[in-house]
Amino acid sequence: MGINAPLNRKLRMALVGGGQGSFIGRVHSIAACLDNRAVVTAGALSSNPERAKASAPDYDIAESRAYSSYQEMLETEAKLPEDERIDFVSITTPNHVHFEVADAAVKAGFNVVCDKPMTFDLDQAETLLKSVQESNVVFAVSHNYTGYPLVRQAREMILNGELGEINAIRSQYIQGWLRTQLEAEDQKQAAWRTDPSKSGAAGAFGDIATHAYNLGRYMTGLLPETVSCSLKTFVEGRKLDDYGTAIIRYESGALGSVTASQISHGRENDVEIEIDGTKGSLKWRQENPNEMIVRQNGKPHQIYTRDPNAPFTNGSGAAACRLPSGHPEAFFEAFANVYSSAFDAMVARAAGETVEQRDTVYPNVYDGVEGMYFIQQCVASSSQDAAWLPLKHAAARK
Amino acid sequence: MGINAPLNRKLRMALVGGGQGSFIGRVHSIAACLDNRAVVTAGALSSNPERAKASAPDYDIAESRAYSSYQEMLETEAKLPEDERIDFVSITTPNHVHFEVADAAVKAGFNVVCDKPMTFDLDQAETLLKSVQESNVVFAVSHNYTGYPLVRQAREMILNGELGEINAIRSQYIQGWLRTQLEAEDQKQAAWRTDPSKSGAAGAFGDIATHAYNLGRYMTGLLPETVSCSLKTFVEGRKLDDYGTAIIRYESGALGSVTASQISHGRENDVEIEIDGTKGSLKWRQENPNEMIVRQNGKPHQIYTRDPNAPFTNGSGAAACRLPSGHPEAFFEAFANVYSSAFDAMVARAAGETVEQRDTVYPNVYDGVEGMYFIQQCVASSSQDAAWLPLKHAAARK
Amino acid sequence: MGINAPLNRKLRMALVGGGQGSFIGRVHSIAACLDNRAVVTAGALSSNPERAKASAPDYDIAESRAYSSYQEMLETEAKLPEDERIDFVSITTPNHVHFEVADAAVKAGFNVVCDKPMTFDLDQAETLLKSVQESNVVFAVSHNYTGYPLVRQAREMILNGELGEINAIRSQYIQGWLRTQLEAEDQKQAAWRTDPSKSGAAGAFGDIATHAYNLGRYMTGLLPETVSCSLKTFVEGRKLDDYGTAIIRYESGALGSVTASQISHGRENDVEIEIDGTKGSLKWRQENPNEMIVRQNGKPHQIYTRDPNAPFTNGSGAAACRLPSGHPEAFFEAFANVYSSAFDAMVARAAGETVEQRDTVYPNVYDGVEGMYFIQQCVASSSQDAAWLPLKHAAARK
Amino acid sequence: MGINAPLNRKLRMALVGGGQGSFIGRVHSIAACLDNRAVVTAGALSSNPERAKASAPDYDIAESRAYSSYQEMLETEAKLPEDERIDFVSITTPNHVHFEVADAAVKAGFNVVCDKPMTFDLDQAETLLKSVQESNVVFAVSHNYTGYPLVRQAREMILNGELGEINAIRSQYIQGWLRTQLEAEDQKQAAWRTDPSKSGAAGAFGDIATHAYNLGRYMTGLLPETVSCSLKTFVEGRKLDDYGTAIIRYESGALGSVTASQISHGRENDVEIEIDGTKGSLKWRQENPNEMIVRQNGKPHQIYTRDPNAPFTNGSGAAACRLPSGHPEAFFEAFANVYSSAFDAMVARAAGETVEQRDTVYPNVYDGVEGMYFIQQCVASSSQDAAWLPLKHAAARK
């Protein structure tokens, strides 16, 4: 069977951002190409036209398709014959640029994979959603932790009722790298993430709490009702939050909490989630992603390993594995799974099928809207003494 | 050197509660006697006079000192010659009986070790505090997790500033044993803990969140300002909370969270605390108590083991150890450390010294008051839609 | 029900060794008295008569029963009326003194609990075995790791066939404290353990490999056939081995390995055992003793916790617990379990029953003989270029 | 800077093996292409000419370069112009075919990446070594665990003397998948691995003990002297060993052990290594590869995480990372590191430089020879009652 059957060819990827010195651009290209289903074909790799051109050889992009700007890229590519032009655009710029690139790409009819948080604010997100709805493109958002096989395994278990009714979700994302005012030392990653004009209304809550919140939503499908949030800025001189906790009431009566920190010494990317149901509980931790603990009263604790061949592994879990158990898979492979699920949809669309945009395995534009709403409401709640504010957006997926 | 020098004799313990079928009475007697510093001498082991008598042989209590009631015991013992009568009373009854026994014992001049939560409500606690202040006895409350060597090690490290200024405290106590309505099945432990007339105003928050909160207070000395709490009762038919999260604002600007659950399948006594300071962070977990992780950006994560002979172990940590590293110590030894620290004070008092009652290594009546205030304010906050309520009690220790 | 029914009194313990500065004497007294079934009544606490007397108050031993020598003790106690004299003697001296004390105590009709390795050499062990067989006393050897609840749980599971036929046993005991030539620095514990005139023919293999080997024998009952052993002395100037590995062929065809180290930096008392059977495998580690992993192909890994109330816990496992799951038990409690099982036998003997001496829950004189044979054959094999030597002793228990 | 500067183009890869149903062929192609430094250009994907052709689209290999046999491939490719023909051949067939393909490829002047064990027996390996020495090609062997960043970090630390003199190496590779006679059930992976005509003289020892042994050699550079090995076949009807332990004496006086199992229920790919030096010890485990524990007496245990930006990370460790700490890397990335290091050499060779063949970061033909010698001597030792046999091969790297 050929690659991306019935297309039988690789998908052509265009990268926006990812120029020299970028980290996340390289992550996207590795993840997208891991399974040999895509090839980096074009790029607008930097807002600086010279650097954009100079970075092309890093990705083996032909000179002719190394564009000076995303506008030029979209315009030129749209005019290429169908069997040459790009299939999708991956957007890996700082947050404040996401919207204009994404909206233009969508309107030009290209599929999009966009970094999270999806836009600068909720207004942009809602506008973008409308564009996507109209254009019928595939639009994925890189909530990459949803790509871990055991996250998908857990999701299917929960949606199937194996944990019973869900009562509680506790998730956290703990980092330490912004413990000092790195942004004052001209560290590029720190600089834009702590700058309200680039990062948006939130710091830690925009950058990482969104992941922790999304993970609970993705795994359980519980719909939120209200949120009460307390944000803090512990590092002097910083303009955005670097720590916070949100309490979430779900419509079903379940209670959730989300904590994010960028100021916890020595902590790396400690994403952890615990879910309590009436029939079982589970715990998963991103830094050791090939294991998940499932517990039931009266039974030994069960360590589910990432094992595509085990009877206890369900369809979602197995489909997300490339290796047998014991040979660990990790960040890149999870990221690649987000791409891979989006590719399935892109191939279907290319084959003329109507594609689902909302209830998808990969995180999509609806999740992106919800993430922006989460950020907005958390910041608003925090500024109102942790008042309870609505959290359910009309675009929320189940 | 003799036992309890300069007393050179064992302390005489009286047990209230602990009759046949009791669990916690046995824990107290094992812990108190572990180091051969005390001997169970008298008891009012049950509110049922016959069972009280019948249980005496289990503890090797002479028939003559197996009393039918605590009142009889206090009265009789008080009249015995000083070299015969009991030194202290350990109270291991259900919560609603603590106060009357404790207050009577204190007024009779006996030292007391009382289970937590200390009383049924805050009023009782404040009344008891006054009695203790007047009587000058030693009064310990069994927040037993404070007795773990690495908890004391951490406390000294933090009070010495080794973690810098503390920004965040996250603690939780997760259990699963009340996942079903055990109280409807005539399970004794479940029955009184879920009965508002015996347990007090809170369920999980009275029974276990108090421990998680106390641990943070004990280890950091941070003074609380306000609390916002969300309690839930997930098991149908239950009268008290079995789940909840409290957010705590400390006077210093630090932010804390306390989560307690009795409904998390398969979870046992999962007490965990994470503390973030400007110079370092730490994490400790009760179920694996001989290890603590201390982290600092740029350094390998440090696993502090319980090692009385290591250069990195401080005085508090070493004093709480009985064994060299690698031979684990656990629950009983931690509990015994609470007793042992209280014994030091009892011996000093017996030797005629004035003893400190508030700023002690062992948790004391002030901590007991604070615990009751925590319960009261959490319940009140929860009933007011998680409103922020004051949490600093005048009796709070630093 | 009274203590030690139908005796209805505590057992009277005599301690040999354990004088000021001793570590293991205190461990024995704490373990023996933990459940209130015994009381330290007499002692010959040091080979130095003055120190022997001076140490008595530490244990609350009456002056009249603080003896200058074990000979004096045995002679005097034997003459006391039955309702006063000691029930058993705990021997906590360095290895080379075990035999004479143990043999004399046994011949005087007292039960004995003896530290391991049981004697200085195999001859002594075999002689002692005869004395025990003739005297009909209870004789326990402190292979204390056999007292951990999950070790006993595993043993019952294996003897019941739950892991199928056993193919492989891998055990190790890794320490680091003798990494440098501590014995040259007048460190008492190091001095006698590295001195062939006090410790016997082996260093690490006598002190700790015996535990690791015994654990496999105790848990599986597999009878050994031959051993090939390679011992090393890595620390310059040391007279005995501080590292080594033995390969063991069992009669059933199973293969085993035992590794012991005293020179592994930072390692504490890392006793670990892995057992492979045709139906399942397990792994247990002493430094985290409240968990055991049981695995079967095709199933999630099962973490058995020490849980006396769980359906998966068998009789042996539950009987060895004092606390519900989640409140960890550790070294002292395991040690106390060895005592407690021996106490059961002592009480039966005192009640006039004939007691089993070989097939017992507690490690006994037969195990002691086997341990000495293990040491002898390992040292001999190592000196013959790791030749295969017989390992099955006629006294081996099943 | 272009890809593979100064070549500034991707390397062209030819795959031998890897046809439909293959697992390891896909692993090689993903690993080789992960960093965009290579592209699969040609293939002889199966010994069945039809399947060879039919599998080509899976890899996006043009029909014209999907060959019916490796012979045809080598012959045809050798005639292509330099700027079209393949740069290297990856051999992913069963063991017994490695030699003929590898030797032919080497003689045709192509670089080679060969699965391990490198050949069917030692003779073949020594012959191949000569071919490589004469041809001057780059020849890598897929001892892929050497590619893990923390393995390389440890190697550099040890070679720099940070652990002092090495005394002991304990490694093991524990699996459970061959617990039953899978080969009788027509399971392809099991069939050839347990067939002496395809797998060679050893089963578990050829397939996985070689990895565990190689890891110790790679990390420490210690030269072996002699080996004593005990192999077992526990599963009835199996023709090759499925369990065994080897004891290794190193020239320096160090002692090592290697254990391999394929019959341990539920164990996956549990490769673990512990190394004891006079200044420190370390432990690393493949199933949790982003952590390594380094210990020194008197200090907290140090968890080194895979952290390219940490001061404690050395050049080798950092060079092997693609992601910052906390975002785990795993099997594919380690495998890709073996390729990447070999690519560096291939690029240098293509640029006309003389390349080192023996003392390389990637495992090479010398390591392959040593691996075959290890297998041969272990099997021979086992058949001679675990006799000590020489283990140092003249080709051993330091």
Side-chain angles (χ1 to χ4, degrees), chain B residues 102-149:
Chain B
D103 204 56
V106 166
K107 283 177 171 154
F110 294 114
N111 303 306
V112 168
V113 179
C114 184
D115 246 8
K116 55 103 306 258
M118 188 170 75
T119 54
F120 187 73
D121 59 25
L122 181 63
D123 270 1
Q124 288 184 351
E126 290 173 338
T127 304
L128 184 54
L129 170 60
K130 272 184 214 141
S131 300
V132 173
Q133 287 170 330
E134 284 162 15
S135 73
N136 204 29
V137 300
V138 173
F139 194 104
V141 176
S142 64
H143 278 301
N144 49 294
Y145 304 114
T146 62
Y148 277 105

Side-chain angles (χ1 to χ4, degrees), chain C residues 17-98:
Chain C
Q20 287 158 359
S22 158
F23 160 68
I24 195 68
R26 176 62 65 191
V27 169
H28 275 262
S29 69
I30 289 180
C33 301
L34 192 81
D35 294 314
N36 205 30
R37 298 181 66 180
V39 60
V40 185
T41 304
L45 301 170
S46 171
S47 53
N48 174 323
E50 272 174 41
R51 198 193 297 156
K53 296 268 185 195
S55 304
D58 292 357
Y59 294 95
D60 207 28
I61 295 174
E63 209 180 320
S64 63
R65 295 174 88 171
Y67 300 99
S68 309
S69 69
Y70 77 87
Q71 294 94 336
E72 185 197 357
M73 182 179 85
L74 294 177
E75 201 174 329
T76 310
E77 289 286 331
K79 292 177 189 155
L80 289 180
E82 204 178 331
D83 64 348
E84 285 185 30
R85 72 166 171 253
I86 55 173
D87 292 289
F88 67 100
V89 178
S90 289
I91 303 172
T92 70
T93 64
N95 299 353
H96 66 300
V97 187
H98 289 177

Side-chain angles (χ1 to χ4, degrees), chain B residues 13-208:
Chain B
M13 172 176 180
L15 191 59
V16 179
Q20 286 158 359
S22 159
F23 159 68
I24 195 69
R26 177 61 67 190
V27 169
H28 275 262
S29 70
I30 289 180
C33 300
L34 192 80
D35 295 312
N36 205 28
R37 297 181 65 179
V39 59
V40 184
T41 305
L45 301 171
S46 172
S47 53
N48 173 323
E50 273 173 41
R51 198 193 297 156
K53 293 270 184 193
S55 305
D58 291 358
Y59 294 95
D60 206 28
I61 295 174
E63 210 181 318
S64 63
R65 296 173 89 171
Y67 299 99
S68 310
S69 70
Y70 77 86
Q71 295 92 336
E72 185 198 357
M73 181 179 85
L74 294 176
E75 201 173 330
T76 312
E77 290 286 330
K79 291 177 189 154
L80 289 180
E82 205 178 330
D83 63 348
E84 284 185 29
R85 72 168 171 254
I86 54 171
D87 292 291
F88 68 99
V89 178
S90 289
I91 302 171
T92 69
T93 63
N95 299 353
H96 66 299
V97 188
H98 289 176
F99 171 71
E100 63 182 78
V101 184
D103 204 56
V106 166
K107 283 177 171 154
F110 294 114
N111 303 306
V112 168
V113 179
C114 184
D115 246 8
K116 55 103 306 258
M118 188 170 75
T119 54
F120 187 73
D121 59 25
L122 181 63
D123 270 1
Q124 288 184 351
E126 290 173 338
T127 304
L128 184 54
L129 170 60
K130 272 184 214 141
S131 300
V132 173
Q133 287 170 330
E134 284 162 15
S135 73
N136 204 29
V137 300
V138 173
F139 194 104
V141 176
S142 64
H143 278 301
N144 49 294
Y145 304 114
T146 62
Y148 277 105
L150 286 171
V151 168
R152 294 190 174 181
Q153 163 89 20
R155 179 179 183 243
E156 184 175 325
M157 287 170 70
I158 292 169
L159 298 186
N160 280 350
E162 293 178 41
L163 298 196
E165 190 183 340
I166 301 306
N167 288 155
I169 306 172
R170 294 178 296 281
S171 64
Q172 56 178 39
Y173 196 140
I174 309 293
Q175 297 180 327
W177 71 294
L178 289 174
R179 177 67 260 181
T180 55
Q181 202 186 349
L182 268 192
E183 61 269 37
E185 298 168 28
D186 204 29
Q187 208 264 21
K188 192 182 160 186
Q189 296 294 329
W192 75 258
R193 277 186 173 82
T194 59
D195 178 351
S197 74
K198 296 199 172 119
S199 189
F205 254 60
D207 198 30
I208 57 176

Side-chain angles (χ1 to χ4, degrees), chain D residues 304-354:
Chain D
Y304 280 56
T305 54
R306 189 195 52 72
D307 185 347
N309 303 311
F312 58 79
T313 300
N314 54 35
S316 305
C321 294
R322 284 167 190 77
L323 291 168
S325 65
H327 278 147
E329 296 191 50
F331 182 84
F332 280 121
E333 292 77 38
F335 215 113
N337 284 336
V338 172
Y339 265 100
S340 188
S341 298
F343 288 165
D344 291 345
M346 293 181 199
V347 168
R349 179 176 170 242
E353 297 176 32
T354 306

Side-chain angles (χ1 to χ4, degrees), chain B residues 1-3 10 20 23 26-27 30 34-36 54 57-60 144-145 148 173 268-269 286-289 305 307 322-333, chain C residues 1-3 10 20 23 26-27 30 34-36 54 57-60 144-145 148 173 268-269 286-289 305 307 322-333:
Chain B
M1 200 167 70
I3 290 168
K10 296 192 201 176
Q20 286 158 359
F23 159 68
R26 177 61 67 190
V27 169
I30 289 180
L34 192 80
D35 295 312
N36 205 28
D58 291 358
Y59 294 95
D60 206 28
N144 49 294
Y145 304 114
Y148 277 105
Y173 196 140
E268 302 178 352
N269 284 288
Q286 193 262 156
E287 294 190 0
N288 193 16
T305 54
D307 184 348
R322 286 165 188 80
L323 290 168
S325 65
H327 278 146
E329 297 191 49
F331 181 85
F332 280 121
E333 293 76 38
Chain C
M1 200 166 70
I3 290 168
K10 295 191 202 178
Q20 287 158 359
F23 160 68
R26 176 62 65 191
V27 169
I30 289 180
L34 192 81
D35 294 314
N36 205 30
D58 292 357
Y59 294 95
D60 207 28
N144 49 293
Y145 303 114
Y148 277 105
Y173 196 140
E268 301 177 352
N269 285 288
Q286 193 261 158
E287 293 190 359
N288 193 16
T305 54
D307 184 348
R322 286 166 188 79
L323 291 168
S325 66
H327 278 147
E329 297 192 49
F331 182 86
F332 280 120
E333 292 76 39

Side-chain angles (χ1 to χ4, degrees), chain C residues 120-339:
Chain C
F120 187 72
D121 58 27
L122 181 64
D123 269 2
Q124 288 184 354
E126 291 173 337
T127 303
L128 183 55
L129 170 60
K130 270 184 216 144
S131 300
V132 173
Q133 286 170 332
E134 284 162 15
S135 72
N136 204 29
V137 300
V138 173
F139 195 104
V141 176
S142 64
H143 277 302
N144 49 293
Y145 303 114
T146 63
Y148 277 105
L150 286 171
V151 168
R152 293 189 173 182
Q153 162 90 19
R155 180 179 182 243
E156 184 174 325
M157 289 170 67
I158 292 169
L159 298 186
N160 280 350
E162 293 178 41
L163 297 196
E165 190 184 341
I166 301 304
N167 288 156
I169 307 172
R170 296 178 295 282
S171 65
Q172 57 177 40
Y173 196 140
I174 309 293
Q175 298 180 327
W177 70 294
L178 289 175
R179 177 67 262 181
T180 55
Q181 202 186 349
L182 268 192
E183 61 269 38
E185 297 168 29
D186 205 27
Q187 207 265 20
K188 192 183 160 186
Q189 296 293 329
W192 76 258
R193 278 187 172 81
T194 58
D195 178 350
S197 74
K198 296 199 170 119
S199 188
F205 253 59
D207 198 29
I208 57 176
T210 41
H211 277 302
Y213 172 63
N214 171 267
L215 206 50
R217 283 277 294 124
Y218 180 78
M219 288 166 80
T220 69
L222 288 197
L223 287 168
E225 193 172 68
T226 53
V227 67
S228 163
C229 183
S230 299
L231 302 179
K232 299 289 293 184
T233 303
F234 284 120
V235 173
E236 216 171 325
R238 181 160 293 156
K239 291 174 187 157
L240 293 171
D241 56 288
D242 48 25
Y243 189 90
T245 297
I247 305 297
I248 294 152
R249 293 175 179 159
Y250 289 90
E251 287 190 338
S252 67
L255 193 66
S257 59
V258 172
T259 296
S261 171
Q262 295 170 325
I263 53 89
S264 300
H265 261 285
R267 302 296 285 266
E268 301 177 352
N269 285 288
D270 211 340
V271 186
E272 186 176 282
I273 187 161
E274 298 185 348
I275 297 176
D276 294 321
T278 51
K279 292 188 185 165
S281 73
L282 66 78
K283 176 171 188 163
W284 179 82
R285 200 174 156 249
Q286 193 261 158
E287 293 190 359
N288 193 16
N290 295 281
E291 290 189 4
M292 172 169 70
I293 307 188
V294 178
R295 291 179 175 96
Q296 284 183 283
N297 282 349
K299 293 196 182 168
H301 306 177
Q302 316 262 322
I303 301 181
Y304 280 57
T305 54
R306 189 196 51 73
D307 184 348
N309 302 312
F312 59 79
T313 301
N314 55 34
S316 305
C321 293
R322 286 166 188 79
L323 291 168
S325 66
H327 278 147
E329 297 192 49
F331 182 86
F332 280 120
E333 292 76 39
F335 214 113
N337 283 337
V338 172
Y339 265 100

